[in-house]
Amino acid sequence: MSKKNMKVFLSVLLLMFFSTSLLATCFIFSSCTPKDSTPNPDFVIAEEEARRSFNGLMACANKDPDSPGFGLVSDQYPAPGSTSNRASIQSTAYLLGAMPGAIKSGWITKADAQKWVLGTIKTLRNTESFRGFYYHYLDINTAQRYLSGDDDGSEVSTSDTTFMMSNLIVCGQYFGGEIKLIVDEMYYELDYTFLVFNDGNRDLLRMAFHPEYSFDPVTREYNYTFYSKSRQRTINAGEKAPAGVSNKREFTNAWDTYAQQLIFYILGAGHPDPLKRLDKSLFYSFDRPKGNYGDGEEIIYATNGAAWKYQFSHQFVDFRNTVDEEGVNWFENSRRATIAARQFAIDQSVNYKTFNENSWGFSAGTSSSSGYGSFYGSPPVKSTNLDKICDGTVMPYGAISSIVFTHELSIAALKYFYTIPELQVGEYGLCDSFNYWEIGSDRKPFYSNNFHTINKGMQTIMLQNYYQDGLVWNLFNSYEPVKDGKAAIGLRKI
């Protein structure tokens, strides 16, 4: 055989080999093709509600690039006239933390998202802070401390700052560059040790801070600075505060029992500055009350059993398959609490028309009876009076945001809520709450027709973790101080 014919023969042989390999590959994977090309219907509806919620957050944002408040997100939609300029730092940050998932889903381009995130982070960076902690509410136009009437203004919030920072960390890990530099600077300023005090038996963290209420360690009295929209003056020690202004202390309340604060200790214990690093004992010093609902499993429960308290830290910290030094699996604890809440709704369906196996969710939001309701929850709870936690109101986001714990139950609830047109707030997804009242009542059904952006924000993050394979979890938990913090408090894989 000539060299020319030999080359032709080898070429044909190679072509046959690769063609056969390709056909074999196609055959092996052909059975998977229909499955891969058909969207998971649970993911589809989850992503749809997340998209609408994301758009709802954007609808509430200050979009003026020349405004000092650019990027700030109002507290609720539609915003009541009396609080139309009130922005929440946590809601603002949720819009940022949801950006990586929004880019992946094609809701926004990476370039536009990066521009929005950078601009908003600069807005937050330029607002007043104390030891790295920020005011709970800001004026959406000025980015100054939110003031209402003649009250003393918004508090500096440990919780809202922590969840703001957690969203920013997600952005820093995703975008890198200047965004990460600013986020790292803000995190470095965060000093949880500033909040540590001893209640006589143990060290705890304070919950909130009012910088105008300065304590004089010599006189053991407080000097107050009274803020209002029209005036500001100092109230000397011993002087009675103006009418309508309470003599508040600098620090208020404490994280003395289990709630949403697990993530605080991780960010504090992992701090790169030893002088700002929390001791791990703080993670084990708050009360861990235990109880169960009916024949259900034992739960370390939040005081009023509100769903958001079992959900907040889990938006960012991946507690799956981990236990702490006392053997507590916090992910499993929240799963049990979710199952108990659903069972409570089923059991209470003999009393309330709102409840059924797919209609549940007890959390904070718009109340059907008292404006904003932070008291809704489900057993086990500290109080034995169930009227204090239940009046027939369902918060849809309460069930949906547990999707990472109980995806089948939460998806069933989401699908049920989507069968009720009155629950939709335009193109922005589900409203805060609804209530069909007691069995036998002739009261008209209540639909809130609004939503609080903090609720929409958490729901969006939880949904993205569900249908985007833990996207937010992966970004947040890749942050070195988070890794260090989890190790420092003794979390370990099981």
Side-chain angles (χ1 to χ4, degrees):
M1 184 181 291
S2 67
K3 290 183 177 180
K4 182 176 181 181
N5 290 337
M6 179 64 71
K7 288 181 179 180
V8 172
F9 174 75
L10 290 174
S11 298
V12 171
L13 190 64
L14 285 171
L15 180 61
M16 290 175 64
F17 172 77
F18 284 118
S19 298
T20 303
S21 299
L22 180 60
L23 286 170
T25 302
C26 292
F27 175 77
I28 290 171
F29 291 103
S30 62
S31 61
C32 299
T33 302
K35 182 178 179 181
D36 290 344
S37 62
T38 303
N40 182 326
D42 292 349
F43 286 177
V44 170
I45 192 170
E47 184 170 9
E48 176 62 15
E49 176 60 16
R51 181 188 67 81
R52 293 185 182 194
S53 297
F54 177 84
N55 289 341
L57 292 174
M58 187 62 78
C60 296
N62 181 338
K63 302 177 185 65
D64 181 359
D66 297 323
S67 170
F70 172 77
L72 296 181
V73 173
S74 61
D75 181 47
Q76 59 180 302
Y77 177 91
S82 60
T83 59
S84 59
N85 63 326
R86 186 172 72 185
S88 159
I89 62 168
Q90 188 170 342
S91 298
T92 296
Y94 274 135
L95 185 53
L96 309 186
M99 284 294 179
I103 294 167
K104 186 174 182 179
S105 291
W107 307 338
I108 189 171
T109 67
K110 186 172 183 179
D112 286 343
Q114 187 165 351
K115 183 177 180 180
W116 182 275
V117 170
L118 181 59
T120 306
I121 287 181
K122 287 182 176 180
T123 295
L124 294 169
R125 185 75 176 91
N126 291 332
T127 63
E128 190 176 17
S129 64
F130 301 84
R131 304 286 188 95
F133 290 90
Y134 292 77
Y135 287 117
H136 182 176
Y137 295 118
L138 300 173
D139 186 293
I140 198 169
N141 299 309
T142 67
Q144 299 297 308
R145 183 188 196 184
Y146 176 75
L147 303 167
S148 177
D150 285 339
D151 72 4
D152 44 355
S154 174
E155 83 285 7
V156 175
S157 171
T158 58
S159 182
D160 292 271
T161 295
T162 298
F163 291 105
M164 177 194 79
M165 185 60 62
S166 300
N167 279 288
L168 300 193
I169 288 170
V170 169
C171 290
Q173 293 301 98
Y174 182 82
F175 291 103
E178 185 179 3
I179 290 173
K180 181 169 173 55
L181 288 174
I182 297 174
V183 171
D184 287 346
E185 288 176 0
M186 294 174 72
Y187 172 69
Y188 193 82
E189 292 176 0
L190 200 59
D191 184 6
Y192 285 98
T193 65
F194 160 62
L195 303 165
V196 177
F197 79 106
N198 190 283
D199 71 348
N201 299 305
R202 56 190 171 162
D203 287 340
L204 297 168
L205 292 180
R206 295 287 191 184
M207 187 177 292
F209 171 57
H210 292 81
E212 68 272 27
Y213 307 139
S214 56
F215 180 70
D216 187 330
V218 177
T219 64
R220 308 296 295 175
E221 295 184 279
Y222 291 88
N223 293 325
Y224 303 88
T225 301
F226 172 59
Y227 286 87
S228 76
K229 290 182 178 179
S230 59
R231 61 191 183 280
Q232 172 183 330
R233 70 181 182 85
T234 298
I235 304 169
N236 297 322
E239 181 184 354
K240 186 178 180 181
V245 179
S246 60
N247 286 304
K248 294 182 180 178
R249 293 177 297 173
E250 184 176 20
F251 292 103
T252 57
N253 302 321
W255 296 105
D256 59 357
T257 191
Y258 168 65
Q260 75 268 29
Q261 79 272 33
L262 300 179
I263 193 173
F264 299 9
Y265 309 101
I266 292 172
L267 290 179
H271 202 287
D273 183 349
L275 297 178
K276 297 177 181 177
R277 192 174 299 153
L278 281 183
D279 188 85
K280 76 174 184 180
S281 63
L282 273 296
F283 183 76
Y284 298 94
S285 66
F286 60 83
D287 293 340
R288 300 181 173 197
K290 296 179 180 180
N292 61 291
Y293 174 64
D295 296 327
E297 298 175 283
E298 185 177 75
I299 300 165
I300 295 176
Y301 64 86
T303 303
N304 73 332
W308 63 275
K309 294 181 180 180
Y310 297 104
Q311 296 162 343
F312 260 33
S313 284
H314 295 266
Q315 299 171 88
F316 303 100
V317 181
D318 186 358
F319 284 102
R320 293 175 297 176
N321 303 313
T322 63
V323 294
D324 66 17
E325 291 185 350
E326 293 186 358
V328 177
N329 182 327
W330 290 103
F331 187 90
E332 171 64 14
N333 192 69
S334 291
R335 186 192 70 82
R336 293 179 181 182
T338 302
I339 291 173
R342 176 177 176 269
Q343 187 60 51
F344 176 65
I346 293 171
D347 293 345
Q348 288 294 312
S349 64
V350 298
N351 299 317
Y352 295 99
K353 291 180 284 186
T354 327
F355 302 149
N356 61 56
E357 63 180 1
N358 295 322
S359 185
W360 49 280
F362 305 95
S363 209
T366 303
S367 169
S368 54
S369 56
S370 59
Y372 183 80
S374 59
F375 52 85
Y376 293 113
S378 58
V381 291
K382 185 176 182 180
S383 173
T384 57
N385 185 356
L386 296 183
D387 290 340
K388 291 185 177 181
I389 61 171
C390 174
D391 65 1
T393 301
V394 165
M395 307 283 182
Y397 88 94
I400 297 167
S401 296
S402 280
I403 195 166
V404 298
F405 312 123
T406 54
H407 67 271
E408 291 181 355
L409 302 180
S410 295
I411 282 291
L414 175 57
K415 290 178 178 178
Y416 171 76
F417 296 141
Y418 261 53
T419 66
I420 307 173
E422 293 86 352
L423 296 187
Q424 294 289 338
V425 183
E427 293 299 313
Y428 304 140
L430 297 168
C431 66
D432 246 16
S433 61
F434 70 108
N435 193 344
Y436 294 156
W437 308 107
E438 299 88 346
I439 298 290
S441 171
D442 59 359
R443 299 173 70 177
K444 292 182 179 179
F446 166 83
Y447 303 101
S448 70
N449 299 318
N450 76 333
F451 57 81
H452 283 79
T453 49
I454 192 173
N455 301 341
K456 280 291 186 186
M458 177 176 67
Q459 178 181 269
T460 303
I461 295 297
M462 287 298 216
L463 286 169
Q464 288 180 333
N465 271 327
Y466 166 66
Y467 69 81
Q468 291 183 329
D469 197 24
L471 175 64
V472 176
W473 278 336
N474 295 337
L475 289 168
F476 181 81
N477 290 272
S478 69
Y479 195 51
E480 287 302 321
V482 171
K483 294 179 183 179
D484 294 342
K486 291 168 74 173
I489 65 172
L491 288 181
R492 61 179 178 82
K493 285 286 186 180
I494 54 173

